[in-house]
Every structure is written in structure tokens, then in C-alpha cells.
Amino acid sequence: MPCPYVMQTVIPILPRKDRNLVAAKRPCYRTTSRLCIRVEILLKLSRLPKMDGHKLGVTIVRQSAISFEADGLEFEGVVTQPDDGSGPWPGVVICHPHPLHGGNMDNNVVLALALGLVENGFATLRFNFRGVGGSQGVHTKGEKEYLEILAALELIKSWPDTNDKTGLAGYSFGTSVILGHSELYAEADAIALVSPSFRSVEGTPLKESKIPALIVTGDRDRLVDSTQLDAELAGFSNAPEFKLFDGVDHFWYGQESRLVPEVDRFFSDKLK
């Protein structure tokens, strides 16, 4: 894979009242055999996403704007990691919801997972599927999107500060791509699926896989009948863990702080 260009920012995650600070600019450079990294630190902290109810301490994270290639196309993404020198950490790739309904890597669920997992000792990579934002190509209804997931998994594995454990997470459309392509299962050590559709679960090759998996959804999600889903999971050779959240619909607005600890618990158990 060609060496991706990376621009990094170091971001203190502070209590909301302190987010009007501006990080100082401090350029530096480093290279590895797989990555060329240019570091530029300049970010107004008030632009950080607000995760309702998620109590963040003074955690310093480094966000790196990256690009990578797959299927002859270039994709944009962001690697987020702790900046306290405590690595290496397990890496987790996070896949966003449906592009034709406004889904992208800055979705509320994707951002909550990306930052929440980093706070608990993971490095995360979120990216835009083909045809979204600065990523090239056109939407293929999940037929080819698995190719950029494979490339993203390769990138996070080769990242200088990750170890040999890798997780894969998806939300909504992102779960459909994961559930539809068994090629992905050999490249991850654990999978977390947030609000998958019943149709994608019903026909997935994950049924025959031994990879540890977690499925989380809400009892008000109109795309998922939790009773049907629970019955379907019983037919898996290695039944995924299943967590049903009361009072939660498909979009998780205002409920992100309930979701993050569950996904963090699962990945911590399987990857650490």
C-alpha cells in the first residue's frame, strides 16, 4: 500500500468549560517503513464534538488526518490515539452509517466511539466510504465498500503505535458491509456491531465464523425487531454477545454515553 500522507493534531479532551483554549503550533516530522507522518498541531478545542453525558477527564489525544488507497481510489480518514506515550495500543477501525442518508465519519455514534475508546487505551481509525466527503468513487450499496475496510484494517495494523490486536466496529450501514463480507473476519480479532438491520444479520456469513462479536441495539429501533434478532443469533456457531438498550432508537442521539462503555468493555475483554 502506498505511504499515506498524515497530518496530526494533538488535542486535550477537557471539560466543556475549558474547550475555548487553542493548542499551540508545534511542527515535527518522523517516518517509519510504512508511514510518512507530518505533525502539525493547531486546533480550536471548542470544535471538538460534544458527547452528551459522557464525562471526559483531562485526556490528551492525537488526531491524524490520513489518506489511503483501495480499489484504485483514495480515501480520507482520521486516526485518533492517546498522546501520553503509554502505547502500543489495540487498534479499532470504525465504519460509518449510510452515505445516502448523510452518514459519514463525523456521525455522532462514530465520533463517540472514536474518542471514547481512545480515552480507554485504544487507537481508532474512522474513515469515509467511497463517494463521501473527500473519499473518491461512488456508492456501491455495500458491494465494494469492504475493500476500503480491508485497507483501513491494514493501515491501523501498520500504525507505529498499535500492537497486534485489532478490532472492527460498524454502525448501521457500516454493520451491513461487515456482515456481508467474510473476507473481513480474518483481519480482525473482534467485531462490534451497532444497530445492524435484521436482514443483514439474517444472511451473514458471520454465522459460521468463530470471531468474537458484539451486537448492540435499542428497543425503539424501527429497523430491528429485537425478538427476531435474538432468535436469529441462536443459530450462530459462535453466538455474538447481544445487548438491548431500553429507550434507544436507531440514531442514539443523547444516548452515546450509554453505548461507549459497552463497546469499550467488549473490546477491552477481547483485545487486551
Side-chain angles (χ1 to χ4, degrees):
M1 183 178 67
C3 181
Y5 171 78
V6 182
M7 182 179 72
Q8 296 191 331
T9 54
V10 173
I11 306 167
I13 297 183
L14 301 173
R16 189 167 299 172
K17 64 183 178 63
D18 295 325
R19 290 186 183 177
N20 59 348
L21 302 176
V22 178
K25 191 172 185 179
R26 186 183 61 192
C28 63
Y29 299 86
R30 60 177 173 164
T31 60
T32 72
S33 60
R34 296 297 300 275
L35 301 172
C36 300
I37 303 174
R38 179 186 177 196
V39 182
E40 291 183 353
I41 305 163
L42 184 59
L43 185 74
K44 189 170 183 179
L45 300 181
S46 60
R47 295 175 58 194
L48 286 174
K50 297 178 180 179
M51 292 181 288
D52 183 66
H54 188 50
K55 297 181 180 179
L56 297 174
V58 181
T59 302
I60 307 298
V61 304
R62 181 181 296 272
Q63 292 207 108
S64 308
I66 58 94
S67 64
F68 60 96
E69 290 187 0
D71 196 27
L73 304 170
E74 186 172 289
F75 297 88
E76 65 176 355
V78 176
V79 173
T80 308
Q81 66 187 72
D83 195 47
D84 58 6
S86 62
W89 309 279
V92 178
V93 171
I94 306 171
C95 306
H96 69 69
H98 208 297
L100 300 187
H101 300 288
N104 59 47
M105 66 178 176
D106 292 326
N107 165 268
N108 64 304
V109 170
V110 175
L111 275 173
L113 290 174
L115 290 175
L117 288 172
V118 168
E119 187 188 7
N120 291 295
F122 293 89
T124 63
L125 167 57
R126 67 187 196 272
F127 67 95
N128 278 330
F129 280 119
R130 59 187 65 204
V132 180
S135 292
Q136 296 177 340
V138 295
H139 178 64
T140 68
K141 300 181 180 179
E143 180 181 345
K144 293 185 177 181
E145 278 79 0
Y146 79 97
L147 295 171
E148 46 257 47
I149 299 178
L150 284 172
L153 287 166
E154 181 182 357
L155 192 155
I156 199 66
K157 288 179 180 181
S158 66
W159 196 254
D161 301 311
T162 55
N163 58 29
D164 61 352
K165 295 294 185 179
T166 306
L168 177 59
Y171 166 46
S172 192
F173 172 79
T175 70
S176 297
V177 181
I178 294 170
L179 287 166
H181 295 278
S182 60
E183 299 93 330
L184 299 170
Y185 309 153
E187 303 303 322
D189 298 296
I191 294 175
L193 305 166
V194 180
S195 300
S197 69
F198 178 73
R199 178 182 296 181
S200 64
V201 173
E202 189 177 27
T204 180
L206 186 64
K207 288 182 177 181
E208 308 303 323
S209 175
K210 298 297 184 181
I211 187 171
L214 167 71
I215 293 179
V216 293
T217 190
D219 64 356
R220 296 183 182 178
D221 192 331
R222 296 182 179 181
L223 299 182
V224 182
D225 184 315
S226 58
T227 303
Q228 281 186 312
L229 183 58
D230 197 25
E232 188 68 24
L233 296 180
F236 280 54
S237 59
N238 183 29
E241 296 182 33
F242 178 50
K243 175 69 174 182
L244 181 67
F245 286 86
D246 63 287
V248 176
D249 63 16
H250 190 72
F251 303 101
W252 294 87
Y253 290 123
Q255 304 293 331
E256 298 91 339
S257 61
R258 298 173 65 190
L259 171 66
V260 171
E262 184 66 23
V263 177
D264 171 63
R265 176 203 60 77
F266 171 74
F267 279 139
S268 293
D269 181 51
K270 304 304 180 184
L271 303 180
K272 292 184 177 179

